[in-house]
């Protein structure tokens, strides 16, 4: 995940974030809840991971919801929250929570979703807003 304030010419907006993740194995034999220190950004322009462990099997997927608060504001920084779920290795379910702020008073006018490796094979990204 990354943001742009110049209509997508650059996706390098400074962010500060934090994240935690819950995991559960399909057969109930293992579970975990933990803080994801490797997902934290501190005044960084790097891409923000918002989902952990999407597999590449035909029955594996990722989905989620992200909210950006007042993205068109030219007065305040913009806060965002994300909750994403993924199936991995056909037996694990991961639920990742990310929150933070975009440290820019410019309007956010583009959002970039990308994979750490490979490509998004198929899916829908829907945008909803309140005018």
């Amino acid at each position: 995940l990354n943001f742009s304030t110049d209509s997508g010419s650059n996706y390098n907006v400074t962010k500060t974030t934090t994240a935690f993740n819950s995991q559960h194995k399909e057969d109930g034999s293992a579970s975990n809840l933990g803080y994801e220190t490797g997902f934290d950004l501190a005044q960084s322009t790097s891409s923000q991971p918002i989902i952990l462990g999407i597999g590449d099997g035909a029955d594996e997927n990722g989905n989620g919801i992200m909210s950006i608060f007042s993205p068109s504001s030219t007065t305040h920084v913009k806060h965002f929250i994300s909750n994403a779920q993924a199936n991995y290795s056909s037996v694990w379910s991961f639920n990742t929570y990310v929150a933070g702020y975009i440290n820019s008073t410019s309007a956010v006018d583009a959002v970039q979703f990308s994979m750490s490796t490979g490509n998004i094979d198929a899916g829908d990204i829907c945008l909803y807003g309140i005018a």
Side-chain angles (χ1 to χ4, degrees):
L1 172 69
N2 220 327
F3 304 96
S4 177
T5 58
D6 60 8
S7 302
S9 293
N10 295 287
Y11 289 93
N12 58 358
V13 179
T14 303
K15 297 167 290 303
T16 294
T17 64
T18 191
F20 71 95
N21 183 55
S22 63
Q23 306 168 11
H24 193 269
K25 202 164 184 183
E26 185 177 286
D27 65 5
S29 64
S31 62
N32 185 39
L33 175 66
Y35 171 50
E36 291 292 339
T37 58
F39 278 25
D40 284 1
L41 298 178
Q43 295 301 299
S44 174
T45 58
S46 297
S47 292
Q48 172 62 54
I50 59 171
I51 194 166
L52 177 68
I54 298 177
D56 60 3
D59 62 344
E60 298 171 354
N61 64 74
N63 61 79
I65 187 167
M66 182 184 69
S67 299
I68 304 173
F69 301 94
S70 300
S72 62
S73 172
T74 56
T75 304
H76 302 288
V77 300
K78 289 81 172 145
H79 290 83
F80 69 95
I81 56 174
S82 170
N83 179 3
Q85 190 278 332
N87 293 76
Y88 180 70
S89 296
S90 301
V91 297
W92 282 97
S93 177
F94 296 142
N95 202 356
T96 307
Y97 301 85
V98 177
Y101 70 94
I102 303 159
N103 194 8
S104 174
T105 56
S106 298
V108 172
D109 56 14
V111 178
Q112 179 184 56
F113 296 95
S114 59
M115 305 299 280
S116 59
T117 61
N119 296 310
I120 297 173
D121 183 46
D124 294 318
I125 297 176
C126 302
L127 174 66
Y128 301 96
I130 300 172

